[in-house]
Amino acid sequence: MMQSSSVIDLLGRPLGVLRLSLTARCNLACPYCCPDSVEPQGLLSTLDQLRLIHSACALGVHTLRLTGGEPLLTDRLWPLLEALSVGRATPGHPLSRLKDLAITTNGSLLDDAKAQQLRALGVDRITISLDAVDAESIARMAGLRRGAEAGLELFKRVLAGIDAARAAGYEPDQGALKLNAVIQRGRNDDQLIPLARLARQQRMELRLIEYMDVGNRNGWCLDQVMPATEMIQILHSHWPLQPIGRQPGGTSSQWLYQDGEGSIATIASITEPFCSDCNRLRITADGQAFTCLFASEGIDLRRWLRMDVSDSELAEVMTQLWTGRSDRFSEDRGLMQVGNHHAEMAYLGG
């Protein structure tokens, strides 16, 4: 089953990153992501997850990102990490090809014990999501019903989570701890400077994400998208920036603060699509494989996870899935009909 190089899709894009969702549930209800929190039926077992990761690594995956929902909300995280840790440390094992293991969390459940455990089990990077600094704005973006009071409580928990991650050895200066923020015009665009100021104080890279048309119930419209170029212009007027660019296969374009106080990045899926070198495969908590974040439906892999199906058969199915891939929705967005059905963000794992 081991292969010497990545499988290539119809547009010449190699498989490199696997985003595996552990749960569709979340303790927040951000309207752009998770209008409700419903777990799908038929969740993958730890063995199922490992078989999929093994096959993906044999086909060229070098980076695994664990997502949700909120991955820290499920106890299924820990046995998976334990098994990954053993495999990555075993020479010749498919998992030894896994060079980067990351997790995305809203940070509210990240305490000292969990951060230390993540570190001990080999998680290399943590990305924490926070869409505002002002308490009322936090509550609005997180879907919290108690307003500013709940927003302030969440903000304090996220800051405590950042402190816990740093204490566990996740160094922002080494790219091991980053901050994500979705910016939606008319809802939290006034938080752009406060978020950047917070990230600078915390020495964390802030990744500003354009509001995306993922899902069907978030009320997305183009007028609510603040283009990445506009965000950078606003920030540049406060703190001059120097462009670095985007790494091949990466999702973010980067800038350095000219005063030496770290960096900032933008993820511009709407206005500056990066489909041409997208190398990401997404698998949901119930085993649906999506080759595009904006896809309407996935391919159910569970039938190939039965015990009577060999690992080589599973790898062949995943190979066919990737080599037959030609999607580039963001580049084609202007040619698509309005109202296309998309899977929900919390289900896909972002």
Side-chain angles (χ1 to χ4, degrees), residues 13-14 246-250 274-280 331:
R13 298 171 294 189
R246 184 177 67 87
Q247 293 293 321
F274 37 85
C275 303
S276 61
D277 58 3
C278 175
N279 60 359
R280 289 169 294 286
E331 291 180 350

Side-chain angles (χ1 to χ4, degrees), residues 293-338:
L293 177 61
F294 302 96
S296 59
E297 59 184 19
I299 295 177
D300 192 346
L301 296 177
R302 286 175 295 188
R303 60 181 291 192
W304 290 284
L305 292 171
R306 301 192 313 262
M307 294 307 295
D308 61 340
V309 177
S310 68
D311 288 346
S312 60
E313 290 176 282
L314 174 60
E316 179 59 27
V317 167
M318 294 183 68
T319 297
Q320 292 176 6
L321 171 66
W322 191 264
T323 56
R325 173 190 189 234
S326 62
D327 43 32
R328 49 191 186 97
F329 179 88
S330 282
E331 291 180 350
D332 289 340
R333 180 180 282 104
L335 304 176
M336 306 288 283
Q337 290 183 352
V338 177

Side-chain angles (χ1 to χ4, degrees), residues 185-224:
R185 192 188 297 279
R187 288 185 64 84
N188 71 329
D189 51 324
D190 63 332
Q191 294 297 294
L192 191 58
I193 296 301
L195 280 165
R197 184 176 292 111
L198 173 66
R200 283 165 57 87
Q201 292 169 351
Q202 294 284 342
R203 307 193 332 274
M204 297 172 68
E205 178 179 281
L206 174 63
R207 305 197 321 161
L208 299 165
I209 303 172
E210 291 181 345
Y211 177 42
M212 292 184 287
D213 52 335
V214 179
N216 308 288
R217 294 170 291 169
N218 60 9
W220 185 90
C221 68
L222 187 59
D223 290 345
Q224 294 178 339

Side-chain angles (χ1 to χ4, degrees), residues 40-327:
Q41 298 294 315
L43 294 179
L44 299 178
S45 67
T46 299
L47 179 59
D48 293 336
Q49 293 168 334
L50 287 169
R51 289 188 67 190
L52 289 169
I53 298 168
H54 289 178
S55 292
C57 288
L59 299 178
V61 160
H62 51 72
T63 297
L64 171 64
R65 180 171 287 277
L66 301 177
T67 68
E70 172 50 56
L72 294 181
L73 196 61
T74 174
D75 292 336
R76 301 165 71 243
L77 170 66
W78 307 109
L80 176 61
L81 287 179
E82 290 171 0
L84 290 174
S85 178
V86 173
R88 293 180 76 191
T90 304
H93 195 284
L95 293 177
S96 66
R97 296 186 173 190
L98 204 54
K99 304 306 179 186
D100 188 29
L101 175 55
I103 190 168
T104 299
T105 171
N106 60 44
S108 65
L109 303 177
L110 185 61
D111 56 22
D112 287 326
K114 287 188 177 71
Q116 294 286 350
Q117 196 171 4
L118 290 173
R119 189 68 174 174
L121 293 176
V123 174
D124 300 297
R125 296 186 293 122
I126 298 176
T127 301
I128 293 177
S129 299
L130 180 68
D131 298 328
V133 172
D134 170 73
E136 189 69 44
S137 297
I138 291 173
R140 180 171 60 251
M141 295 301 293
L144 303 178
R145 296 181 179 179
R146 291 189 293 116
E149 178 184 358
L152 181 58
E153 291 176 3
L154 176 58
F155 185 55
K156 290 179 178 178
R157 292 203 306 272
V158 173
L159 290 182
I162 291 172
D163 289 342
R166 185 179 280 109
Y170 291 97
E171 291 294 336
D173 294 344
Q174 299 175 10
L177 184 60
K178 296 182 180 182
L179 197 64
N180 272 2
V182 173
I183 302 300
Q184 188 175 353
R185 192 188 297 279
R187 288 185 64 84
N188 71 329
D189 51 324
D190 63 332
Q191 294 297 294
L192 191 58
I193 296 301
L195 280 165
R197 184 176 292 111
L198 173 66
R200 283 165 57 87
Q201 292 169 351
Q202 294 284 342
R203 307 193 332 274
M204 297 172 68
E205 178 179 281
L206 174 63
R207 305 197 321 161
L208 299 165
I209 303 172
E210 291 181 345
Y211 177 42
M212 292 184 287
D213 52 335
V214 179
N216 308 288
R217 294 170 291 169
N218 60 9
W220 185 90
C221 68
L222 187 59
D223 290 345
Q224 294 178 339
V225 176
M226 174 174 278
T229 52
E230 185 177 342
M231 299 185 209
I232 291 300
Q233 288 171 358
I234 292 171
L235 291 171
H236 183 73
S237 67
H238 283 74
W239 304 286
L241 294 164
Q242 175 184 343
I244 299 299
R246 184 177 67 87
Q247 293 293 321
T251 60
S252 63
S253 298
Q254 292 182 301
W255 284 261
L256 289 177
Y257 288 109
Q258 292 184 13
D259 62 7
E261 294 297 315
S263 63
I264 196 145
T266 58
I267 299 177
S269 299
I270 305 298
T271 64
E272 301 172 36
F274 37 85
C275 303
S276 61
D277 58 3
C278 175
N279 60 359
R280 289 169 294 286
L281 172 66
R282 291 170 171 82
I283 299 180
T284 65
D286 62 341
Q288 306 296 314
F290 287 79
T291 55
C292 180
L293 177 61
F294 302 96
S296 59
E297 59 184 19
I299 295 177
D300 192 346
L301 296 177
R302 286 175 295 188
R303 60 181 291 192
W304 290 284
L305 292 171
R306 301 192 313 262
M307 294 307 295
D308 61 340
V309 177
S310 68
D311 288 346
S312 60
E313 290 176 282
L314 174 60
E316 179 59 27
V317 167
M318 294 183 68
T319 297
Q320 292 176 6
L321 171 66
W322 191 264
T323 56
R325 173 190 189 234
S326 62
D327 43 32

